[in-house]
Amino acid sequence: MSIKWRITGLFLGMTGLSLLLFWVGESVRLISGRQQIDLGVVLLALLLPAGIVYFYTRQLIRRMEKLHFATQRIARGDFEHIHLSDSSDEIGQFTIELNNLSRHVEMIVQNGTQEAQKMEAILAGMQEGVVAVDHVGRVVLVNAAAERIFERQKTVRELEYLLELTYDTELEQLTRKVLSGQPSASREINIAQRIVQSKINPILSGQGQSRGAVIVFHDVTELRRLEKIRTEFVANVSHELRTPLTSIKGFVETLLDGAAEDPSLRNRFLGIIQGETLRLQRLIEDLLTLARLEGQQNHAISSIKISYVQNAFEIIKPVIQSFAQAKEIQLEVDLPDNLPPLKIGENLLSQLLLNLLENAVKYTAEGRVWLNAQVGPEFLRLEFGDTGCGIPEETLPRIFERFYRVDKARSREQGGTGLGLSIVKHMVEGLGGNISVNSKLGVGTVFTCYLPRAKLK
């Protein structure tokens, strides 16, 4: 029943009850012949209806208080179901609707929480830095990657504006333009020794008005470094190929112009052409080897092959000994018979030994070149040393780069391609090993290789 009809009925009933009690009291007074009004009857006529009304209103207030506490719980995030004994009046219907609203809000909050957690996980897992600002440029979100890029381990509350994070006025101005209506903007900024690409996109409302902007920062330092290496590699290859080809072309043209008639001149020119051809062949073979090593996965380099250092050295021993004897250099090799096998094919290991020993002999005018081995629990340590001219300290970090030569004229004179050490480095690291170098001008150079041991079944 509706509350208004209950209250109306209660009002009419209590009024009638009061009138009835007054009438009964008055009738008793007239019958008894008393002149005074009976106060007990008057009080009963007033208090009894008032008590009934108070009891009913008290029950109504309790139901209203229960609804009040329920709305407070919903506001705090407690969506427990509301139970009322009477659901036939307006308060009961309101309670039903409030329970439905509570369930709906609970679903919205759960979905919002899940989406927020999902977004937080995405932002935390991104390699790119993400910064969000509001419509006036205040920072509202900074993910962990952005904090790492800008080396700022601070929370969003401690950062009020973008300039406090980036210290870049041009990026701040671009962000202001995007907030003013420009579609998007991008800029490369330098942070310490890194290059960071930034992309600014607006956040628009349903009416197309700017509500803020999202700035994505991508560290492109490694990409720019690789682009530079690629450019230098192409330039170096072109130069290394052009030099012998120009020489061959010039001597061939000279022979065709009549120099071939002179036997001594013809033989000298043909010898030079043959030397330049062999140099081109070595260069192409080294490039193919390097490309093959770079294109293979780490496990593919070693595959399932094993080899022994002693056997690999025996393959190259005639070549390296004759080379050392020709320069009157003492070759010292200390390889114990009980050395463990390595996770590398014998051909690759032979090439590694040849490259490092040949390189040592080339740059040693007099003295000795040595190779020794030490066994570790997981790696075999190979040491390649010489008493040659040494390498300047400032150039040591670059000697494993492709085509890098400490002394370019001398390297070409010795027939080097500038790729040998780069091939060795790719080979060793592809096996999971490590190579390092120590050198001192006028004293000599020592290369140290750590190659993983093979586990025999």
Side-chain angles (χ1 to χ4, degrees):
M1 183 183 294
S2 175
I3 293 178
K4 66 179 181 179
W5 294 117
R6 290 185 180 184
I7 295 175
T8 302
L10 183 62
F11 171 76
L12 293 175
M14 293 304 102
T15 302
L17 179 61
S18 298
L19 292 174
L20 177 61
L21 292 173
F22 275 115
W23 178 78
V24 171
E26 187 64 21
S27 299
V28 171
R29 186 180 67 81
L30 292 175
I31 293 173
S32 62
R34 288 184 296 179
Q35 297 297 320
Q36 294 181 347
I37 298 175
D38 191 346
L39 293 177
V41 175
V42 173
L43 292 175
L44 181 63
L46 293 175
L47 295 177
L48 181 60
I52 296 174
V53 171
Y54 175 79
F55 176 77
Y56 179 78
T57 54
R58 182 60 182 167
Q59 294 296 111
L60 190 62
I61 289 172
R62 286 180 178 177
R63 296 173 67 194
M64 295 296 293
E65 288 177 346
K66 195 171 184 178
L67 288 177
H68 175 68
F69 293 141
T71 55
Q72 288 182 332
R73 285 193 293 101
I74 293 173
R76 293 193 302 266
D78 184 1
F79 303 103
E80 184 180 352
H81 188 77
I82 307 168
H83 297 282
L84 291 178
S85 58
D86 190 358
S87 62
S88 60
D89 56 12
E90 285 87 346
I91 295 179
Q93 294 300 319
F94 178 74
T95 303
I96 295 174
E97 295 299 328
L98 188 61
N99 281 326
N100 293 334
L101 177 63
S102 176
R103 286 193 296 270
H104 182 65
V105 172
E106 183 179 12
M107 292 179 59
I108 292 176
V109 171
Q110 287 178 350
N111 291 336
T113 303
Q114 291 175 358
E115 291 298 323
Q117 291 174 346
K118 187 188 300 182
M119 184 61 66
E120 185 178 350
I122 292 173
L123 290 174
M126 289 179 63
Q127 296 296 321
E128 295 80 9
V130 178
V131 177
V133 297
D134 61 12
H135 64 287
V136 295
R138 287 191 295 262
V139 175
V140 296
L141 182 145
V142 179
N143 73 339
E147 291 180 349
R148 289 194 300 269
I149 289 174
F150 292 101
E151 298 178 352
R152 293 288 300 276
Q153 303 299 324
K154 289 189 175 183
T155 61
V156 177
R157 293 180 182 177
E158 295 172 321
L159 296 170
E160 187 171 359
Y161 290 98
L162 182 64
L163 192 60
E164 299 176 37
L165 176 68
T166 63
Y167 299 113
D168 191 291
T169 55
E170 292 189 22
L171 183 63
E172 173 80 9
Q173 293 172 359
L174 284 177
T175 305
R176 295 289 180 185
K177 290 180 181 179
V178 171
L179 292 174
S180 301
Q182 182 175 322
S184 62
S186 61
R187 166 174 163 74
E188 275 193 5
I189 58 179
N190 293 316
I191 304 171
Q193 302 297 321
R194 292 176 295 174
I195 304 172
V196 178
Q197 176 78 40
S198 60
K199 179 72 174 179
I200 312 169
N201 290 306
I203 303 174
L204 302 177
S205 64
Q207 292 74 28
Q209 297 178 344
S210 176
R211 298 177 56 188
V214 174
I215 311 167
V216 179
F217 298 96
H218 182 56
D219 192 341
V220 295
T221 307
E222 183 65 15
L223 179 62
R224 295 291 181 266
R225 188 185 71 83
L226 293 176
E227 289 176 352
K228 182 180 179 181
I229 290 176
R230 182 185 62 183
T231 302
E232 292 177 350
F233 177 72
V234 172
N236 286 329
V237 169
S238 301
H239 176 74
E240 295 294 334
L241 291 174
R242 183 170 60 247
T243 300
L245 285 174
T246 301
S247 178
I248 292 172
K249 179 175 178 293
F251 284 113
V252 168
E253 289 176 350
T254 303
L255 289 172
L256 291 175
D257 286 342
E261 302 299 329
D262 186 344
S264 61
L265 195 61
R266 180 181 66 233
N267 291 337
R268 186 166 67 88
F269 284 0
L270 288 176
I272 294 174
I273 292 173
Q274 183 184 29
E276 295 294 336
T277 303
L278 292 175
R279 179 180 166 188
L280 278 175
Q281 183 181 359
R282 286 194 302 270
L283 177 61
I284 293 172
E285 288 176 352
D286 285 349
L287 286 172
L288 291 175
T289 300
L290 190 59
R292 185 175 68 254
L293 291 174
E294 289 181 342
Q296 291 174 334
Q297 298 295 329
N298 290 349
H299 67 273
I301 294 178
S302 58
S303 65
I304 58 173
K305 297 180 180 179
I306 65 172
S307 60
Y308 292 86
V309 178
Q310 303 94 323
N311 297 340
F313 178 74
E314 290 299 324
I315 296 175
I316 67 164
K317 184 176 180 180
V319 177
I320 198 66
Q321 276 189 339
S322 62
F323 190 21
Q325 289 172 359
K327 296 189 66 175
E328 297 182 352
I329 294 173
Q330 182 180 356
L331 181 62
E332 300 175 358
V333 179
D334 182 14
L335 298 175
D337 295 333
N338 60 345
L339 289 179
L342 302 177
K343 292 194 303 183
I344 182 175
E346 194 170 82
N347 291 335
L348 284 179
L349 183 57
S350 299
Q351 185 177 2
L352 184 150
L353 298 177
L354 181 61
N355 280 352
L356 290 174
L357 288 173
E358 188 178 38
N359 199 64
V361 174
K362 278 181 183 179
Y363 296 100
T364 302
E366 59 181 9
R368 63 190 184 96
V369 171
W370 69 88
L371 165 63
N372 56 48
Q374 294 180 358
V375 181
E378 296 183 2
F379 292 88
L380 180 66
R381 181 181 182 272
L382 296 178
E383 183 180 278
F384 302 82
D386 63 66
T387 58
C389 57
I391 303 171
E393 185 178 356
E394 62 273 12
T395 63
L396 282 177
R398 300 193 59 189
I399 62 170
F400 292 107
E401 294 180 10
R402 307 171 192 174
F403 295 111
Y404 184 78
R405 298 183 176 93
V406 178
D407 187 344
K408 295 183 178 181
R410 185 175 180 183
S411 179
R412 288 198 180 94
E413 182 181 335
Q414 297 285 351
T417 62
L419 294 172
L421 291 178
S422 182
I423 290 173
V424 169
K425 183 177 178 64
H426 277 80
M427 196 182 302
V428 172
E429 292 183 350
L431 295 168
N434 181 45
I435 183 170
S436 60
V437 58
N438 289 305
S439 185
K440 189 174 181 181
L441 281 176
V443 176
T445 304
V446 176
F447 285 89
T448 306
C449 289
Y450 290 90
L451 299 177
R453 295 173 52 177
K455 295 181 180 179
L456 298 177
K457 297 181 180 180

